[in-house]
Amino acid sequence: MAIGAMVKVAPGHVSSALPQICACLRSALEIEELCNNAFTVWGVLVSSLHEEEVEPLLDQTLSIVIKHWDTFTQETRKLAHELVEHILGSHNELLRDIFGTMPSLASIPVLAKFEDKINEMKETMDVRSHFLAFSRRCLSENTTVVEQALTELVSYLSRHEEFVHRSVLSEQPDPAVAHLVRSLLDCTVKFNTTSESITLLTARCLGHVGCLDPNRVDSVKEKKEILVLSNFEKMEETFEFVLFFLQNVLVDAFLSASNTRAQGFLAYAMQNLLRFCSLNSAVTQRSRGVQSDEKYQRWLELPEAVRNTLTPFLTSKYTVTVGAVSSRFATEWKRRQRKVRIQRLQSHHQGAGYFDSFVSSSIRCLEPRGRGHSG
């Protein structure tokens, strides 16, 4: 409830900490004793945000309502009803852009009038458009959103198996089917170790699709790659690698983290990568140096959503401290430090393998400190 009070006191100043606040509330929602209070605060948060800030939370909000409706008390259900009414009534322009990916509220009879409004907008969509919308929903980093999307997709596929089979057997298979299959396969990999329900739902969806001929239906995964030729010896290549790593790995991991401890480690990593590349000074101080201007231009080339997530870490002060370390670990730590200084690693592959082994054995003793941001 303290978070809710903070949002009420400073409703226009929570944007920079929005990912952390949402992660904290998502964790609390999974605890039955805290679920109702957490959703109350979630409602306060969503109601206080501007339209551009609400957009990434809209699908999450509806999915949370659907998932936890049976756990909600009567008072919380009333708040949920009011929140859904607020969203659908106050963001008409936003809804016209994203209605295709909005979750169905059909499982909650009390929200039938809102479901009718969503269905009215979706009437303009054909089966192919629905498949593409499901593909986008399945690519979400949020477990609740993906689980709800797959739950709906199971029944939708059972009603439209004929379309799938007809498309696959035609001379020109519909690429929407390939996109859907690719999204389902990605879901299986992404949530394999974290959500058994998603794994089972994905299997059911793939069962409805059936066995596809890979020679006719292309569902090859798009690869995002970066080539580092100098083995990180040139700062220009290192800078490009850091931006790539932030955009395609760390930001997504940070936004999808289910607890604040994981976010703390990721926040520390992003903060120090930005500092290592001097992006913190290039963006916040805007010095007139040519190199600084080039870095600032590369910063502006990042997607806006990525920049919004990274901006607080340009001035944050997260630290990592070594906790209670056993003497055995301390000895190993010193030995490996000496090894790094003495032994020149002969290849990038060898170096990467050594680094991975070292971090894996060391990370258990690290704890993130400094949850907040400061300028």
Side-chain angles (χ1 to χ4, degrees):
M1 300 302 285
I3 294 177
M6 178 189 69
V7 173
K8 289 179 180 178
V9 170
H13 302 276
V14 298
S15 301
S16 61
L18 197 56
Q20 292 94 325
I21 294 174
C22 290
C24 182
L25 294 177
R26 283 195 296 264
S27 297
L29 282 164
E30 299 303 319
I31 303 173
E32 187 173 348
E33 294 79 6
L34 301 177
C35 183
N36 288 279
N37 286 336
F39 184 78
T40 300
V41 177
W42 184 279
V44 172
L45 176 66
V46 172
S47 300
S48 69
L49 297 175
H50 299 297
E51 188 163 282
E52 62 273 13
E53 297 168 326
V54 169
E55 181 178 354
L57 298 181
L58 194 148
D59 289 353
Q60 287 188 51
T61 301
L62 297 184
S63 298
I64 287 170
V65 170
I66 296 165
K67 179 178 181 179
H68 297 288
W69 184 262
D70 292 337
T71 307
F72 289 166
T73 62
Q74 285 300 120
E75 183 179 356
T76 307
R77 290 181 179 182
K78 182 181 178 182
L79 289 172
H81 187 284
E82 293 172 353
L83 180 59
V84 174
E85 186 173 32
H86 167 75
I87 290 173
L88 298 184
S90 304
H91 302 288
N92 291 321
E93 290 188 16
L94 175 61
L95 294 180
R96 282 195 290 270
D97 294 333
I98 65 169
F99 68 86
T101 59
M102 291 177 64
S104 169
L105 299 171
S107 61
I108 307 175
V110 179
L111 304 180
K113 67 175 183 179
F114 304 127
E115 172 67 8
D116 291 340
K117 182 175 181 178
I118 295 173
N119 284 335
E120 185 179 343
M121 291 186 285
K122 289 185 177 182
E123 284 179 356
T124 58
M125 300 171 64
D126 56 13
V127 176
R128 184 177 185 278
S129 299
H130 276 287
F131 278 4
L132 292 174
F134 276 118
S135 297
R136 290 195 296 273
R137 292 172 66 184
C138 290
L139 292 176
S140 172
E141 297 290 334
N142 184 270
T143 306
T144 306
V145 172
V146 174
E147 187 174 335
Q148 178 59 29
L150 291 171
T151 300
E152 295 175 28
L153 182 57
V154 169
S155 60
Y156 192 82
L157 281 171
S158 66
R159 298 196 304 271
H160 296 91
E161 283 186 358
E162 183 181 351
F163 173 87
V164 176
H165 298 156
R166 187 172 63 248
S167 171
V168 171
L169 295 174
S170 66
E171 292 186 8
Q172 294 291 332
D174 196 319
V177 176
H179 285 309
L180 182 62
V181 171
R182 182 69 265 165
S183 296
L184 291 172
L185 293 174
D186 289 344
C187 266
T188 304
V189 175
K190 186 188 301 182
F191 298 101
N192 181 40
T193 59
T194 57
S195 176
E196 183 179 352
S197 60
I198 287 180
T199 303
L200 293 174
L201 287 168
T202 304
R204 292 180 62 187
C205 290
L206 289 171
H208 282 296
V209 173
C211 183
L212 304 180
D213 184 352
N215 295 318
R216 295 174 55 81
V217 180
D218 184 13
S219 61
V220 177
K221 181 177 177 62
E222 180 184 357
K223 294 183 179 180
K224 297 178 180 178
E225 298 178 332
I226 184 170
L227 186 62
V228 180
L229 299 175
S230 66
N231 198 20
F232 299 104
E233 292 180 357
K234 293 183 179 179
M235 187 59 196
E236 294 83 359
E237 283 191 345
T238 303
F239 180 75
E240 292 299 323
F241 173 81
V242 168
L243 289 184
F244 179 89
F245 190 53
L246 287 168
Q247 178 180 344
N248 296 290
V249 180
L250 290 184
V251 168
D252 286 344
F254 178 77
L255 294 175
S256 62
S258 58
N259 60 77
T260 53
R261 184 175 184 273
Q263 277 196 332
F265 283 118
L266 292 165
Y268 175 79
M270 292 189 289
Q271 164 194 281
N272 282 277
L273 285 173
L274 292 169
R275 190 174 300 167
F276 173 76
C277 293
S278 301
L279 269 171
N280 56 334
S281 58
V283 175
T284 59
Q285 299 175 15
R286 290 301 314 277
S287 59
R288 295 185 179 276
V290 175
Q291 189 176 24
S292 179
D293 285 343
E294 290 177 356
K295 289 183 177 181
Y296 184 69
Q297 288 302 318
R298 286 291 291 113
W299 167 263
L300 293 179
E301 291 172 8
L302 292 173
E304 183 179 0
V306 173
R307 282 188 278 118
N308 289 342
T309 302
L310 292 175
T311 296
F313 304 111
L314 294 170
T315 55
S316 62
K317 298 184 184 298
Y318 281 86
T319 60
V320 171
T321 58
V322 179
V325 185
S326 66
S327 58
R328 178 181 176 184
F329 178 83
T331 302
E332 178 68 7
W333 180 286
K334 292 178 180 178
R335 185 186 71 80
R336 295 193 182 200
Q337 282 184 317
R338 287 196 299 271
K339 184 177 180 181
V340 170
R341 288 195 296 266
I342 295 171
Q343 178 183 356
R344 178 177 178 82
L345 299 176
Q346 298 300 316
S347 68
H348 171 73
H349 177 75
Q350 182 183 1
Y354 178 79
F355 177 76
D356 179 66
S357 173
F358 180 58
V359 170
S360 298
S361 63
S362 305
I363 197 66
R364 292 191 301 272
C365 296
L366 301 178
E367 286 293 342
R369 304 292 182 192
R371 299 293 185 191
H373 301 296
S374 58

